[in-house]
Amino acid sequence: MSDKMPSAWFYRLKAAQRDLIARAGGIERSAEIASLSKSQIGRFNNAGDPELMPLSAVLMLEAECAAPLVTQVMAELNGRRLADAEVGEAANACIMASHAEVVVQAGELMAKGAMAFADGRLTPSEAAGIDRQAASLEHAVSDLRRAAASARVSGLTVVGGAK
């Protein structure tokens, strides 16, 4: 990065990298998986560091987590979406739990935003917190959409009734 402020795309990628590192088990575990040093992974995990993760590390960590967190952001930044090859039957059974999780995450995002905006200014730390919470909501919505897609295929009995 140069002297000027990084762009929004940069912060989206850094947030996805942090989510991927967390999901892979933290800095030390991610370093082992990606065959990189802990200090390199630490730089990728630091929102203020301009260094982005190399593609090989992204692929190894995403494979370990079975979650294309960085790849999904890269696709979205290019106007594309990822689609799962198959939707599991387990999603049908957890649609109500997925819906509840979306409601919880949305409430937490609203609360975090309200607290951040209460004094009339938004600090970089507050913006990062809002971004992390938005990522949690985004993940919950993704799970709900998978469950809903499965329910559309096979139907769902909510309370003791027939399909």
Side-chain angles (χ1 to χ4, degrees):
M1 301 250 101
S2 64
D3 297 346
K4 63 182 184 171
M5 288 292 291
S7 300
W9 65 265
F10 172 80
Y11 288 115
R12 294 248 351 253
L13 282 172
K14 288 297 274 192
Q17 285 182 179
R18 285 192 311 275
D19 293 344
L20 184 60
I21 290 166
R23 199 173 289 183
I27 291 175
E28 288 187 32
R29 177 114 167 74
S30 296
E32 290 173 16
I33 294 165
S35 299
L36 297 170
S37 71
K38 291 184 280 187
S39 62
Q40 284 177 298
I41 298 293
R43 287 192 299 274
F44 302 146
N45 199 48
N46 180 349
D49 192 288
E51 194 168 351
L52 292 173
M53 202 177 280
L55 188 56
S56 58
V58 169
L59 293 174
M60 286 186 268
L61 292 173
E62 287 182 344
E64 176 70 20
C65 300
L69 302 176
V70 174
T71 300
Q72 182 174 341
V73 169
M74 288 190 297
E76 289 172 4
L77 290 170
N78 286 290
R80 303 285 189 243
R81 288 186 306 165
L82 300 182
D84 290 335
E86 60 185 63
V87 179
E89 287 299 313
N92 198 24
C94 69
I95 191 165
M96 290 192 300
S98 295
H99 181 269
E101 184 63 18
V102 167
V103 171
V104 167
Q105 294 300 328
E108 289 180 11
L109 177 59
M110 286 186 270
K112 190 163 287 283
M115 288 188 303
F117 304 140
D119 62 358
R121 46 183 232 112
L122 183 66
T123 66
S125 176
E126 289 169 331
I130 288 171
D131 182 51
R132 279 191 297 277
Q133 190 58 50
S136 295
L137 175 59
E138 189 173 55
H139 180 68
V141 168
S142 177
D143 288 347
L144 177 60
R145 292 188 74 197
R146 269 193 296 279
S150 179
R152 287 179 70 182
V153 170
S154 59
L156 176 65
T157 301
V158 178
V159 181
K163 273 190 179 178

